[in-house]
Amino acid sequence: MTDVTDVTDPVTTGAVRGVPPRTARVSDAWRQRLEVTLFLAPALVLFALFVVVPVVQAGRYSTYQWNGLGPMDDFVGLDNYARALRDEIFVDAVVHNLVIVVLSVLIQLPLGLAIALLLNREMRGRGVMRVIVFAPYVLAEVVAGVVWLSLLQPGGLVDAVLDTMGLGGLTKLWLGDPQIALYTVMVVLTWKYLGLAILLFLAGLQGVPTDYYEAAQLDGASWWQVQRWITIPLLGPTIRVWAFLSMIGSLQLFDMVWILTKGGPANATTTMATYLINQGTDRSLYGYASAVAVLLFGISLVLALVYQLLILRRDSPGAAAPRKAGR
Amino acid sequence: MSAPTVTPPATRAPAPAPPPPRPRRSRGRAGVLVYVVAVLVAVGTLGPVLFAVLGGFRSNAQLASDPAGLPDPWVGSNYVNVLTSGSFWQLALNSTVVALVTTAIVTVFGVMAAYPLARYRFVGREALTLLFTLGLLFPLTVAIIPLFLMLRDLNLTNTFWGVALPQAAFALPVTIVILRPFLMALPKELEEAATLDGATRVGFFLRIVLPLSVPGLVTVGVLAFVASWNSYLLPLLILSDPAQQTLPLGVATFSSEHAQDTAGVLAFTTLAMIPALVFFLAVQKRIVNGLQGAVKG
């Protein structure tokens, strides 16, 4: 940000307020450079100090075996990475994250879309519904997790509800059974995050011009046909962005798992992030934990890029144009 | 379903007017099914929250004998205990301070950075924009270990700054990504008019851009505030001193230390929920608009 080419063509005559010029007339290009620097400096310094430096450090630490106290001199190259990839618990954690990524989209997309389409119709209390649906998203994962912890405890509300429905035989150790703990976590995550999907879809629906509906209805299209051939295709960009946000969130999942299971039972719900914290701050294996952090980032980055290339690419101009009704 | 209307909408505004004058019928009217689904969704969503609120008014014996029951009799002592213990207020105060500091930093620094990135032309502008945008890809989780060690070396553990500064830094990307298009959209004529009236670019920023971007600033501010209020991972590592801890940490600690006292945990958790829910209700339109903007971004 050194060379400044001025295009705004400000006819500047007065002095810059607050910044007294050293000479009577500072050339405008220089002044602009100064302004750019001063405006950007605080954000850049903050960002460099607390984002860029730690991220780079994570890469450096990952090549050492280090407990964070003594000098960092035990260079081990890529050993930490090899160790992580050989560790069954870490590999399982990656699988858990991927399961959560896929299930989140598979569950929340149809459910969220259906509810959004229903709520988008003329009805009483639509505003109230919007607020209700979004409320869980606003709660801290910790708070939601603690509430669900007591709902799910043996003999808790979930069991009681199943009992009264005559499904008492289905009650399980929801968070204690390694076979199902991950799916229990999934249910809680759905409760917490479905509202975001609904709200985003509703926001996207507001952007669908009503003219289209009218035109389709004039052509005799049914409600479902209108949704299938006009609304959902037009909602495409919103859905794709939501799925992206959901994916990134799922890959970094920590709070909810930490509260509900701490990664247990028997590592059945470990995610990359809980594994990372477990190895890092709990066992002081800072070098190894940094390697895990870099792997977490690498996996997220690769998936993000693949998604960008395969799916978000469709959102080039024209791609979102409504398809013709009919096949 | 309702019959399709054949009459064209009575009015068609020439310019895209804000939502209200929308021909309503075209979206289809809600049948009974819609209300049934709506009620089911509302119950499923609010059920756990109501369970916590009501559970706080029950005794542990009541909760154990019938988890789904209503308070009988209503027990106020759980809530009273939490509210008179002092630690709850300390936690709420800490959360508020950390969230306010985080929000202030990220909003001020964010709009300052977004302004030149949006309205100046200089070499490196696109590169810097890309740098901040790429920041979206670096979650706090990736940097948490070095961050923890760095804050320890800087003696920032158990301080509000140790949480607020990194949180603000990690909130910068989304703030700039939202604000930049917002500032770019301000019409060029405004700037030209201001220049003709003798305003400098800085003057234009302070007197015209800032007032006009209040909606955008509120949006990013709300997002930052809620994120900070709810954050857990960073405070978990940085704030080990109970006197400095924030509400999510307090809730987690209380719930594991009083695992047998379900009613007490529910009361504590309910009280911890209230600020977030009230704040959300107060600014829900902003959050919705902000997310809408983010998606269309």
Side-chain angles (χ1 to χ4, degrees), chain A residues 10 35 68 120 122 138 252, chain B residues 27 30 35 120 139 152 201 230:
Chain A
E35 286 169 22
N120 195 41
E122 188 185 328
V138 186
Q252 289 152 15
Chain B
R27 287 179 188 277
Y35 287 105
Y120 283 54
R152 197 185 62 182
R201 283 178 303 268
N230 289 344

Side-chain angles (χ1 to χ4, degrees), chain A residues 56-80:
Chain A
V56 171
Q57 288 285 55
R60 202 165 73 94
Y61 293 173
S62 73
T63 57
Y64 287 85
Q65 188 165 353
W66 187 42
N67 65 6
L69 289 175
M72 192 172 72
D73 52 10
D74 191 0
F75 182 78
V76 294
L78 298 178
D79 271 10
N80 286 327

